[in-house]
Amino acid sequence: GAVVSQHPSRVICKSGTSVKIECRSLDFQATTMFWYRQFPKQSLMLMATSNEGSKATYEQGVEKDKFLINHASLTLSTLTVTSAHPEDSSFYICSARGLSQKANEKLFFGSGTQLSVL
Amino acid sequence: AQTVTQSQPEMSVQEAETVTLSCTYDTSENNYYLFWYKQPPSRQMILVIRQEAYKQQNATENRFSVNFQKAAKSFSLKISDSQLGDTAMYFCAFILTGTASKLTFGTGTRLQVTL
C-alpha cells in the first residue's frame, strides 16, 4: 500500500529556533497534503492544506508566518515551525492525497512528529 | 460546514466481547465518505473501515463492521471478539468526494479492552 514518510519522529529544540518537518509520499504522487496538530488526548486539528506548486491554505486561527508550509513537488511537503515557543510543543501529523478521481477514498498518514520546545 | 460528533469519550470492553462506538455527522451534501481510524499508543493513524455514502450496504472488515444510517446521519462502529490490541483511540471522520475537500474528525473515543 501507499506509504507516507514523516521525519523526524521526535525533535527537541530551544525556544526561538526553527524546526522543519518533512512529509514524503514514497510510492505515489500527492497533489494535496494536509498538516494536523494533535494535543494530548485530543483529536487531530487541521492546520493547513497544501497543493503542489501553490500557496498553502491555512485554517482560521493558524498563523501562516509561524507555520510555513512548502509543497514544491508532488512527493514532498514541509512544515517549518519558526521561532518556536513552548506552546508550540505538540504532535504534528501529515496526510497525503493522491491523483486519482477517487483519491478521497483513502488518505495516507505519516507517523507523526513530536515537537518539544524547551 | 461539516461536523462529526462522537459522544462517548471513553469505552471499556472485555476481551472477546462486542462493543459499539457511536458517531453522528452533519452535512447537507449527498456524496461523501465516512471512516473510522484507530490511533494506538504509537499514534500512527490506521484506517479501520471506510463507507461510501452512495452504498447502502454496510461495510465490514473482518471483526469490524459499521451501521450506516444515512437519513439519520449516523455511522457506528461495531468491534466483535474484541482483542487487547484493539485498545486505542478511535476517530470517526468525514470527507466530501470533491478534490478540494478536507477530512473532518470527531473528538475520538478511547477504547480500553480488558482481560
Side-chain angles (χ1 to χ4, degrees):
Chain A
V3 176
V4 173
S5 175
Q6 184 174 344
H7 290 283
S9 59
R10 180 176 295 272
V11 58
I12 302 172
C13 70
K14 291 183 179 179
S15 187
T17 60
S18 294
V19 173
K20 180 183 284 188
I21 301 170
E22 290 190 350
C23 183
R24 293 181 184 272
S25 56
L26 297 184
D27 54 358
F28 70 102
Q29 292 180 317
T31 53
T32 305
M33 286 202 180
F34 304 94
W35 287 94
Y36 297 87
R37 184 173 183 177
Q38 186 179 30
F39 291 108
K41 298 186 179 181
Q42 293 189 22
S43 187
L44 281 71
M45 182 191 77
L46 181 65
M47 299 174 65
T49 303
S50 72
N51 292 299
E52 185 265 339
S54 59
K55 289 184 179 180
T57 302
Y58 291 82
E59 296 299 302
Q60 191 173 11
V62 178
E63 299 176 59
K64 62 180 181 180
D65 293 330
K66 179 164 193 62
F67 298 100
L68 301 179
I69 291 173
N70 184 279
H71 192 169
S73 78
L74 285 172
T75 58
L76 174 65
S77 177
T78 60
L79 166 67
T80 301
V81 183
T82 62
S83 187
H85 290 286
E87 57 265 30
D88 298 325
S89 298
S90 186
F91 190 64
Y92 294 86
I93 308 176
C94 67
S95 175
R97 175 163 64 199
L99 283 168
S100 71
Q101 277 191 328
K102 301 180 84 175
N104 285 353
E105 276 189 351
K106 189 169 185 179
L107 302 179
F108 304 96
F109 286 85
S111 54
T113 298
Q114 177 62 50
L115 170 63
S116 299
V117 185
L118 303 178
Chain B
Q2 283 65 233
T3 60
V4 178
T5 302
Q6 293 179 250
S7 58
Q8 306 153 314
E10 293 185 2
M11 294 280 285
S12 181
V13 63
Q14 284 192 320
E15 198 176 20
E17 296 297 308
T18 296
V19 65
T20 299
L21 307 184
S22 301
C23 173
T24 58
Y25 59 95
D26 189 25
T27 183
S28 58
E29 303 292 332
N30 205 39
N31 298 312
Y32 49 87
Y33 298 99
L34 291 160
F35 307 89
W36 278 98
Y37 284 95
K38 170 184 177 181
Q39 189 180 41
S42 68
R43 294 191 285 188
Q44 173 71 55
M45 295 293 285
I46 301 167
L47 177 64
V48 174
I49 200 164
R50 175 184 65 234
Q51 176 78 42
E52 295 158 79
Y54 68 86
K55 288 188 177 178
Q56 292 187 337
Q57 186 173 5
N58 289 323
T60 62
E61 286 288 343
N62 300 314
R63 297 183 295 107
F64 300 89
S65 62
V66 298
N67 183 1
F68 174 48
Q69 301 290 327
K70 191 172 184 179
K73 297 179 183 175
S74 170
F75 183 61
S76 61
L77 174 69
K78 185 171 82 172
I79 305 175
S80 304
D81 186 26
S82 297
Q83 301 175 359
L84 294 177
D86 295 334
T87 293
M89 278 291 288
Y90 286 82
F91 294 101
C92 179
F94 169 103
I95 191 168
L96 297 174
T97 55
T99 54
S101 304
K102 301 176 286 190
L103 196 60
T104 301
F105 286 94
T107 50
T109 297
R110 181 171 299 279
L111 177 67
Q112 180 72 47
V113 181
T114 59
L115 290 170

